Amino acid sequence: MTPSDNVIADVLLDLAHQRGVGKTFCPSEAARRLSDDWRPLMPEVRRVAATLPLVATQKGNAVDPVEAKGPIRLGLKP
């Protein structure tokens, strides 16, 4: 069962606030908190991340978390 958008958002924001401004985390950390079978959740985690006050980066450059291919990092907007 896929967690609700609100549950995913809560986990993403919790991780972001734990790290603080200027620090990032991998979206898979959120997915792993939500399910032991976390890989299928990654598209949903990225989709929800795009709706939050988070910045997604890839190799240090801002990217759209939904459209980006490959690993990304998420963090609080400065």
Side-chain angles (χ1 to χ4, degrees), residues 39-61:
R39 283 184 175 87
L41 294 179
M42 289 302 294
E44 294 302 307
V45 169
R46 284 179 172 226
R47 181 184 59 76
V48 172
T51 69
L52 300 173
L54 298 174
V55 63
T57 58
Q58 192 172 54
K59 297 181 182 177
N61 299 311

Side-chain angles (χ1 to χ4, degrees), residues 1-16 25-56 63-68 70-75:
M1 178 178 206
T2 302
S4 72
D5 287 4
N6 288 336
V7 170
I8 294 170
D10 288 346
V11 171
L12 286 166
L13 291 172
D14 183 53
L15 283 165
F25 63 96
C26 180
S28 68
E29 292 179 57
R32 290 171 200 263
R33 284 192 181 186
L34 294 164
S35 176
D36 289 334
D37 186 21
W38 59 272
R39 283 184 175 87
L41 294 179
M42 289 302 294
E44 294 302 307
V45 169
R46 284 179 172 226
R47 181 184 59 76
V48 172
T51 69
L52 300 173
L54 298 174
V55 63
V63 295
D64 178 336
V66 176
E67 297 296 322
I72 62 170
R73 304 287 295 177
L74 298 171

